[in-house]
Amino acid sequence: MGGMGVKCDMCDNEATVHEVVVSNGERRERHLCEAHANELGVLPKKPDAETMSAMMHKMVAAQGHAETSKKQAIASCSECGLTFAKFRAEGLLGCPACYQTFEDRIVPLLVRAHDGGEQHIGRVPKRAGSMVERQQRLMCLRRELGEAVSQEEYERAAKLRDEIGTIEGGRGEGGEERDEGSQE
Amino acid sequence: MMTRFDPEASASWLTRSGREGDVVVSSRVRLARNMAGFPFVHRATDDQREAIKERAQECLMDSGIVGRSRSHLMWVDLAGLHALDRRVLLERNLISQQQAKSEPWRGLAVSTPDEEYAVMVNEEDHLRLQVVRPGLDLTSAFREAITMDDRLESRMDYAFSLRFGYLTACPTNLGTGIRVSVMLHLPALKLTGEMDKFKRATKAMSLAVRGVHGEGSDTLGDFCQVSNQVTLGRSEQDILMQFEHEILPQILDFERSSRRTLLSKRRVMLEDQVQRALGVLRSARIMKAEEATQLLSQVRLGVATELVSGITLEQLTYLTVLIQPGHLQRLVGRPLDQAERRIERATMLRERLTSACG
Ligand SMILES: [Zn+2]
Ligand SMILES: [Zn+2]
């Protein structure tokens, strides 16, 4: 296969980056336009801007090109009204909820700004700490509930349901609630 | 409350030289935090900003961080300050260019007279907790910053998510929200032409290099601030340990070996440069701030390499701040135009450098 005229795997632009990935003995070819190669981190381009915000600007601009080919996600934050275009222009998010609203489009930027980091590791506010525990306990209880139901242990299932209800009722005592659906 | 800032106040990083003081002027740890339930500062209305300030002030007092005794931080209403005092705070790195504007919703809490602890309110983030120490002392600066954070957290709901950590206005601060930085004096790297190599190396290690007054400022007089860029996906401890024990020793080695090279291979050149700098500082009648910074930097190198005596590193650090326009006008006690400042600057430097001998 020649390099000419190959389309990007992700959009209709011409692919300029070609790579062969071998994983688990399987050979796979990837063809990407520059914007998508950037977005997926195939081009390990070190930003040469010296300041943080300049760096962010560059990344946001690169993202802008790639974004046009994706299906348009939510246009603005329901909490603060910030549009992604405005974030792209200024480099600042509008409110804590923006991170959820624009999560899909922000994660690639984070990965590049933070050397691959996209999941927080480190200190957790004590109140959020109890929230973490609560969520872990909930996940555990739901798993047990599933087992109980499948084994037709209805008495145990009812007890588990009560316990889940109690924990869920005690939510909202601080920190940001994550969508629990995506945790499982 | 009307506060006036004494230009001669004894911020500890300006009056004491710490560990590795020949290269490391000061260490700083800063944590970015935002309150849940409010937009970030740039997106908030003035009423919301006022509410954020009041809530911050309340929590800072309730948690015992801000108070009236000397063991507390002092609350400073920035808008109530004379423009010159805000300028003094800016020159001492206690507020940013942004904070130096006079909007009524901006605030600052600072420990006096050491100025080691500070909380900026309504800068880019709702809160920035900062601890500054003389010389290389990141570990204790970190411990103290965390203590402030814990005390504040017990009163306040931070904007936080399990995935992204502490939520900040700019995604470059996201996660731990920690910025670990050191102010370095790297004159020999410049003289030996190694500055580009240094900058390439710092980029490869994901470090930011900036001027002494933060983002966008010049690396005046061979002083620069080096800080971590990655804040997400690595723990505070991890970031701190790598910075202090892997990265900094390499930078210190690099600068010091360049100094040794200068001393052994180009000693006369170095002596000439240092003595000329001292000569100009002790005899000039008109002095621009940039020129003074450059000359003081050269004398500092002379002190660090023991070519100059009778003056200490911390006195020189202090002078690089005293020559700034705000400090100079406070020192003289009246507003000065640029031409007057150049004359007063030269006079002040002549007087304070009489004891130094080459
Ligand atoms: Zn594409
Ligand atoms: Zn928002």
Side-chain angles (χ1 to χ4, degrees):
Chain A
M1 204 188 307
M4 285 290 288
V6 179
K7 276 186 183 172
C8 170
D9 295 342
M10 313 278 289
C11 70
D12 284 331
N13 292 334
E14 191 187 329
T16 54
V17 178
H18 309 276
E19 66 156 9
V20 178
V21 190
V22 181
S23 64
N24 300 330
E26 218 182 280
R27 188 174 179 280
R28 202 165 57 84
E29 284 182 19
R30 273 217 286 197
H31 307 281
L32 298 166
C33 70
E34 194 174 270
H36 275 112
N38 263 324
E39 193 190 2
L40 296 171
V42 176
L43 287 181
K45 209 166 78 182
K46 277 276 169 192
D48 52 22
E50 204 122 90
T51 66
M52 304 262 185
S53 64
M55 184 178 80
M56 209 60 214
H57 257 112
K58 272 184 80 175
M59 291 190 298
V60 174
Q63 166 86 352
H65 164 73
E67 185 214 343
T68 53
S69 64
K70 265 191 190 168
K71 65 173 192 298
Q72 283 293 321
I74 306 155
S76 65
C77 173
S78 62
E79 289 281 320
C80 75
L82 186 89
T83 60
F84 195 73
K86 192 155 167 69
F87 163 63
R88 197 191 300 153
E90 293 173 2
L92 295 177
L93 287 155
C95 76
C98 283
Y99 280 99
Q100 269 183 317
T101 311
F102 303 122
E103 181 165 352
D104 293 348
R105 282 171 284 180
I106 285 173
V107 167
L109 307 180
L110 296 178
V111 169
R112 295 181 59 196
H114 296 283
D115 262 0
E118 57 166 303
Q119 167 62 56
H120 173 58
I121 300 171
R123 282 168 64 81
V124 168
K126 284 188 195 73
R127 299 180 201 210
S130 68
M131 179 178 82
V132 178
E133 273 173 35
R134 207 167 62 225
Q135 287 189 347
Q136 282 167 346
R137 180 82 187 123
L138 274 173
M139 270 196 282
C140 184
L141 287 170
R142 289 213 186 87
R143 208 165 33 238
E144 280 184 48
L145 177 64
E147 278 170 23
V149 171
S150 70
Q151 287 161 21
E152 302 188 5
E153 295 175 37
Y154 296 116
E155 210 169 309
R156 186 172 148 226
K159 266 172 95 177
L160 288 166
R161 263 195 209 99
D162 282 352
E163 200 174 335
I164 289 169
T166 311
I167 294 174
E168 280 180 335
R171 70 161 58 191
E173 57 188 50
E176 280 274 304
E177 280 290 345
R178 284 254 298 157
D179 175 20
E180 277 154 16
S182 66
Q183 293 272 304
E184 294 179 354
Chain B
M1 176 177 33
M2 191 64 194
T3 323
R4 286 195 58 167
F5 279 86
D6 181 0
E8 302 264 27
S10 47
S12 61
W13 69 279
L14 292 174
T15 48
R16 274 197 284 131
S17 179
R19 204 156 60 82
E20 320 284 6
D22 59 325
V23 182
V24 186
V25 179
S26 61
S27 301
R28 186 183 69 148
V29 170
R30 194 213 65 201
L31 301 172
R33 298 289 186 256
N34 288 278
M35 292 179 218
F38 287 105
F40 295 134
V41 179
H42 75 107
R43 192 97 190 135
T45 63
D46 278 358
D47 283 349
Q48 285 171 321
R49 290 164 175 158
E50 194 59 47
I52 293 164
K53 188 183 90 172
E54 277 171 21
R55 179 86 188 112
Q57 207 177 343
E58 195 181 293
C59 293
L60 284 165
M61 300 225 277
D62 286 351
S63 60
I65 294 173
V66 166
R68 293 182 185 282
S69 87
R70 272 177 71 108
S71 62
H72 291 112
L73 274 66
M74 175 179 73
W75 177 262
V76 183
D77 237 331
L78 290 173
L81 285 185
H82 191 282
L84 205 50
D85 284 310
R86 287 199 298 271
R87 173 87 219 182
V88 166
L89 293 175
L90 177 71
E91 291 168 0
R92 290 239 271 273
N93 283 339
L94 282 169
I95 58 174
S96 63
Q97 305 269 4
Q98 275 188 51
Q99 290 288 82
K101 297 169 195 158
S102 64
E103 291 101 334
W105 38 266
R106 297 189 188 272
L108 171 74
V110 60
S111 64
T112 53
D114 60 65
E115 295 174 13
E116 291 195 5
Y117 303 78
V119 180
M120 288 182 219
V121 177
N122 280 335
E123 205 235 9
E124 188 179 279
D125 293 300
H126 297 161
L127 295 154
R128 287 195 165 174
L129 317 178
Q130 162 177 304
V131 179
V132 179
R133 297 272 204 225
L136 178 58
D137 195 4
L138 287 166
T139 307
S140 85
F142 172 67
R143 196 175 53 232
E144 295 297 311
I146 290 304
T147 305
M148 275 204 285
D149 190 38
D150 281 340
R151 286 162 77 175
L152 207 51
E153 184 219 302
S154 66
R155 310 269 158 182
M156 179 183 279
D157 279 329
Y158 284 150
F160 180 88
S161 96
L162 293 174
R163 167 105 199 248
F164 296 132
Y166 295 92
L167 303 175
T168 52
C170 183
T172 53
N173 297 316
L174 193 66
T176 54
I178 196 172
R179 195 70 68 207
V180 172
S181 67
V182 283
M183 195 194 291
L184 302 176
H185 185 226
L186 305 172
L189 287 185
K190 190 157 173 202
L191 283 174
T192 52
E194 303 275 32
M195 214 55 200
D196 281 345
K197 198 171 155 194
F198 165 72
K199 287 195 172 168
R200 276 199 305 277
T202 51
K203 205 182 287 176
M205 292 187 282
S206 293
L207 301 173
V209 180
R210 284 173 283 182
V212 289
H213 294 300
E215 197 159 318
S217 63
D218 295 329
T219 52
L220 258 186
D222 315 316
F223 290 98
C224 65
Q225 260 187 72
V226 176
S227 59
N228 67 303
Q229 286 202 56
V230 173
T231 55
L232 180 66
R234 299 185 50 200
S235 73
E236 293 87 351
Q237 283 294 344
D238 207 22
I239 291 167
L240 187 78
M241 292 309 263
Q242 194 200 18
F243 196 86
E244 185 158 9
H245 299 291
E246 287 175 36
I247 292 167
L248 270 178
Q250 291 179 51
I251 298 176
L252 297 187
D253 266 5
F254 200 9
E255 168 65 20
R256 284 178 185 147
S257 72
S258 299
R259 288 179 188 182
R260 281 193 299 273
T261 306
L262 287 173
L263 277 172
S264 63
K265 300 220 170 86
R266 294 160 71 190
R267 189 181 182 95
V268 178
M269 183 283 301
L270 184 62
E271 280 175 346
D272 182 65
Q273 195 161 10
V274 168
Q275 298 306 337
R276 275 170 189 272
L278 199 51
V280 172
L281 286 168
R282 283 203 295 214
S283 50
R285 295 306 196 258
I286 297 171
M287 181 72 74
K288 289 184 189 175
E290 303 81 62
E291 185 187 7
T293 309
Q294 198 56 52
L295 294 169
L296 286 167
S297 165
Q298 284 161 4
V299 174
R300 197 173 208 280
L301 176 60
V303 172
T305 51
E306 295 174 347
L307 295 174
V308 174
S309 60
I311 186 159
T312 62
L313 291 170
E314 53 270 31
Q315 282 173 304
L316 287 163
T317 308
Y318 195 21
L319 284 176
T320 59
V321 172
L322 271 189
I323 57 164
Q324 308 288 324
H327 277 79
L328 205 55
Q329 292 175 74
R330 269 280 169 262
L331 205 58
V332 175
R334 64 188 167 86
L336 302 167
D337 64 27
Q338 193 182 60
E340 292 172 320
R341 287 204 298 274
R342 289 177 180 173
I343 295 169
E344 291 293 343
R345 184 177 293 121
T347 306
M348 186 269 289
L349 286 166
R350 283 203 314 277
E351 284 168 1
R352 296 196 183 218
L353 284 167
T354 47
S355 64
C357 37

